[in-house]
Amino acid sequence: MLKLRIEKAPAPAWVRSVIPLFAILVTFIITLVFIVWVRVNPLHTYYYFLVAPFTSTVSMIELLVKATPLFLTGAAVAFAFRSGYYNIGAEGQLMAGAIMGAWLGVMLKGSTPWVALPVMIVGGFIGGVLWALIPALLRVKLKVDEVVTTLLMNSVIVYLVSYLLNGPWRDPISMWPQSPDIASSAMFFILLPRSRLHFGFILGMITIAVIWFVINRSGFGLKMRAAGSNATAARFAGVDIEKTILTTALVSGGIAGLAGVGEIAGVHFHLIQGFSSNLGYTGIVVATLGALNPLGVGIAALFMGLIETGSLTVSRALGVPVYLGQVVQATLMLVTLGMFILTGYRLKREG
Amino acid sequence: MPAAIEVNAMNVVKMKNITKRFGSLVANDNIDFDLRKGEIHALLGENGAGKTTLMRILYGLYRADEGEICVNDNLVNISSPKDAIREGIGMVTQHFTLVPPLSVAENIVLGATDGFLLNPKKIRRLVTEASEKYGIAIKPEALVRNLSVGERQRVEILKALYRKAKVLIMDEPTAVLVPQEVETLFNSLNQLVSQELSVVFISHKLNEVMAICGRITVLRGGKLTGTVEHKDTSEKELAKMMVGRETFGVTRQQDKEPGEPILTIANLSFTDEQGLERLKDVSLEVRCGEVLSVAGVSGNGQSELVKILTGLKKPTSGRVVLNGRDITGSPPAVITAAGMGRTPEDRHAGVIGDLSVAENLALENLDEYKKRGMLDRKLVREHAAKLIEEYQIKATPEDHVRTLSGGNMQKVVMARALSRKPCCVLAAQPTRGLDVGATEYVRSKLLEQSDRGAGVLVVSEDLNEVMELSDRIAVMYEGRIMGIIPALEASEEKLGLMMAGVLEKDETKIL
């Protein structure tokens, strides 16, 4: 009888970089079940999913719009993960950035865009940093697991937003639970006329370029990577692990905060309940899919934008639920993660 | 049926011609081992001698490449612990496999229950019966997480016995125990053998082996040195068998003028998280231009000493002064800046596999390669290329350290530690696991450092190495310095006895 045994044996490095591609393939094979279940032609579905969004300028721009916040949340998560800080709290930090944006946006009435734009960006960043501060300090000072604390902080801020919208910030005229509109000078400018593509897209690109540079070209980046891949050895070599992790955690929060300010200043122009639609959590998917590499994150964010646009297109064209797209997204995440873990092992014939 | 092999009615276990290879390393080389009914049989040897490997083969954790195993004179095929348990073999390792939130009784029956339902009263009764039968005192209802290490070990033993073990393998059982617990353990083991059970006692502590075992099998470097009866041997002889008889060519013992003290360790004590006192009032002085070695069987406080000197742990009390600067409890960066070149005990805890050779070489003094926060990659690469050539590292600056052999990895560690001309070098287990060529290279580099005038502190379990390199040798036993002797006066016999805690420095004069 053939006996197989699982052995620990890391695959060569190049394998990791092609995993996302294989994951996509496997995902489509798995999701075939659901596609057949809702009785549509799989080939049509894949066409609308992957190809149709590229056939019109409008949907291509929409793809970029969808990808915009994901550049930032993906970058935020990837940055933290690289130093071994598992920040699951991008969602909460994004909302903190959005709260700062909604508040500053109103305070900035009467200012010029030259003043308002930098203030909004810095403010959003600070908002994210503040919300990331407590879990980061708990981790560094008391070794409290950040996965738990950052996740719980996400729940806390949902109620903070709810309080603000139902209390002090409630729109005094309509009485809707939404904050007053921000000043027009504080709004992120539109990149292409008659589209929703705003300055946040550029901000996302710049952020990705900057974190790539920091991770791969700076002394701090080397410390980050050292701490993230072998903390014991890094400490031995004199890296101040606590300081490195604290800094990375706060910057990660700040980047997530930028995503939040972008949603307020570029899309909604006021704070409303549920404006985020899990952008922070999707950031984790994007970061993982991008193999924690900033350039990979950029591509993964575009890919996520494609899937989100695609699932809308599919549902419109074929009359299937939008949830199909979410099923594809979730499957993709599971498959990718599974594949990354499996590359560490190999099957060996025994006997 | 396989051909019948030599029959000996007294042997419960007989292992014949066992060979186990890990890559190019032969961990067990054609070893014979037999265990009689009702005896405590010691398996003695230094770290890496192959004791644990041999017993892991018996317990089904490894499979031998060659050789056969008989249990009760039947040739058996043991390919997993399940098979071993079926044959009546149980093993208690240093790493306990208990579930802390469950009770003692639940832990003992875990995986050995019949049927789907658990009857708490019944299992408590069964466990109490077993406890009384074997004379191992435990409280069946206590939660494992509230137990001391010694109590946990008793639970592990009872767990094996509950699975009808007739042969009990104890892998360095005393390493985790305080002296009083050791006594309790020995009493339990003696009671077990009086009930016709057999015990394999893996150890490297001579006094324990002599205190409890009937026969002693000694391994050295993966080979069988011999099996002796307790009554025919002595600690002295065992020490000799354990560390080897070859005489070493001591190459460098010209009378050197000892320099000024460069590293002073004064009254260092360290108590770990479990409250065990790992270092007791350790004082050492390393002078410029000399090699001082700290010898000892592993687990006698050397690790803790190294961790304190490298900045990974803070001592409970005492002082460390390097080149006039107090570095007690300082972080690694401060210690390196003060002029200490350090190599860690475990080289994997010193270099980062996922980073390149160049990045690893730059990591310890990053500030020298930074230009306005950005890394000067050209400088990093040039620095690496220079060291790669100087230290004959078989790699390019861009290679990930993960892909390097052990010897080349150690060269990276050494190159980084020595490249800044430190005034004091701490080399912990510098040649562990290296082949002959790499070993010679590393040792010559260390001697080069002392010739240059640096103080060199070597911490090693390899007596050969200690005697070859040192001017003076300090021996550690149970966290204390047993004594410091000049290398010229050292013999492996003397060192072996000091390492076993039998002999203190003052007594060595009598020998």
Side-chain angles (χ1 to χ4, degrees), chain A residues 92-93 95-98 100 121-132 157 253-254 257:
Chain A
Q93 292 140 15
M95 289 194 203
M100 282 294 261
I121 291 171
V122 172
F125 192 88
I126 290 173
V129 168
L130 290 177
W131 205 250
I157 201 161

Side-chain angles (χ1 to χ4, degrees), chain B residues 21-292:
Chain B
R21 297 181 198 91
F22 294 106
S24 61
L25 179 87
V26 186
N28 282 167
D29 190 355
N30 201 21
I31 290 178
D32 292 335
F33 176 80
D34 62 82
L35 182 67
R36 293 178 192 157
K37 191 174 250 183
E39 75 164 342
I40 301 179
H41 191 147
L43 203 48
L44 182 71
E46 292 185 293
N47 264 49
K51 311 174 297 261
T52 303
T53 307
L54 187 67
M55 286 303 115
R56 285 192 173 161
I57 291 170
L58 181 58
Y59 193 58
L61 291 165
Y62 294 149
R63 298 200 63 172
D65 297 320
E66 285 159 37
E68 45 195 27
I69 302 172
C70 290
V71 175
N72 295 323
D73 296 330
N74 298 318
L75 191 64
V76 291
N77 179 14
I78 297 175
S79 59
S80 73
K82 222 168 155 182
D83 297 339
I85 291 167
R86 204 184 50 228
E87 298 294 341
I89 299 167
M91 185 161 178
V92 177
T93 64
Q94 293 174 54
H95 306 283
F96 299 149
T97 52
L98 299 174
V99 188
L102 295 187
S103 74
V104 168
E106 284 166 330
N107 264 288
I108 286 172
V109 300
L110 193 66
T113 49
D114 34 41
F116 178 69
L117 291 174
L118 270 184
N119 179 344
K121 260 194 204 134
K122 191 178 152 205
I123 62 169
R124 210 172 304 148
R125 203 191 67 232
L126 288 174
V127 168
T128 311
E129 280 171 15
S131 157
E132 282 162 6
K133 182 177 167 202
Y134 296 110
I136 293 175
I138 49 129
K139 294 190 213 82
E141 68 285 351
L143 296 185
V144 165
R145 70 158 163 249
N146 298 332
L147 300 185
S148 73
V149 179
E151 289 170 319
R152 287 182 195 207
Q153 192 177 51
R154 287 208 287 280
V155 177
E156 281 280 4
I157 295 173
L158 199 56
K159 197 170 136 187
L161 296 174
Y162 186 82
R163 283 160 181 71
K164 313 245 177 323
K166 295 283 169 240
V167 173
L168 196 59
I169 306 166
M170 305 286 300
D171 190 359
E172 310 220 351
T174 59
V176 288
L177 301 182
V178 297
Q180 297 77 1
E181 289 175 326
V182 171
E183 204 168 303
T184 317
L185 171 71
F186 284 4
N187 288 338
S188 303
L189 294 183
N190 277 323
Q191 189 151 358
L192 291 182
V193 292
S194 70
Q195 297 185 35
E196 304 252 285
L197 266 70
S198 311
V199 176
V200 181
F201 188 88
I202 304 180
S203 179
H204 52 220
K205 297 187 179 164
L206 293 169
N207 55 345
E208 288 178 356
V209 164
M210 287 302 280
I212 190 172
C213 298
R215 285 193 304 155
I216 298 129
T217 293
V218 184
L219 300 185
R220 184 173 74 231
K223 290 198 177 71
L224 180 68
T225 316
T227 300
V228 290
E229 296 273 345
H230 176 265
K231 61 178 174 3
D232 303 332
T233 190
S234 63
E235 289 191 21
K236 243 193 230 177
E237 192 195 330
L238 288 177
K240 234 184 212 173
M241 288 173 77
M242 190 164 119
V243 297
R245 283 170 216 275
E246 314 93 46
T247 48
F248 312 116
V250 183
T251 48
R252 49 177 306 278
Q253 294 297 344
Q254 303 96 2
D255 280 322
K256 266 197 305 190
E257 280 293 304
E260 291 294 303
I262 186 79
L263 176 69
T264 310
I265 300 163
N267 311 101
L268 210 59
S269 292
F270 177 72
T271 306
D272 70 7
E273 292 80 10
Q274 274 108 48
L276 289 175
E277 207 181 354
R278 296 293 188 180
L279 290 180
K280 298 167 194 161
D281 199 24
V282 169
S283 297
L284 287 172
E285 204 170 66
V286 184
R287 302 186 206 125
C288 286
E290 79 159 348
V291 180
L292 173 67

Side-chain angles (χ1 to χ4, degrees), chain B residues 444-475:
Chain B
S444 71
K445 275 288 167 192
L446 288 174
L447 291 179
E448 214 176 279
Q449 294 299 311
S450 76
D451 290 343
R452 184 173 62 80
V456 178
L457 180 63
V458 175
V459 177
S460 177
E461 284 156 26
D462 184 344
L463 275 191
N464 205 334
E465 174 162 278
V466 163
M467 296 184 63
E468 192 173 305
L469 287 177
S470 320
D471 296 304
R472 292 187 300 146
I473 302 169
V475 178

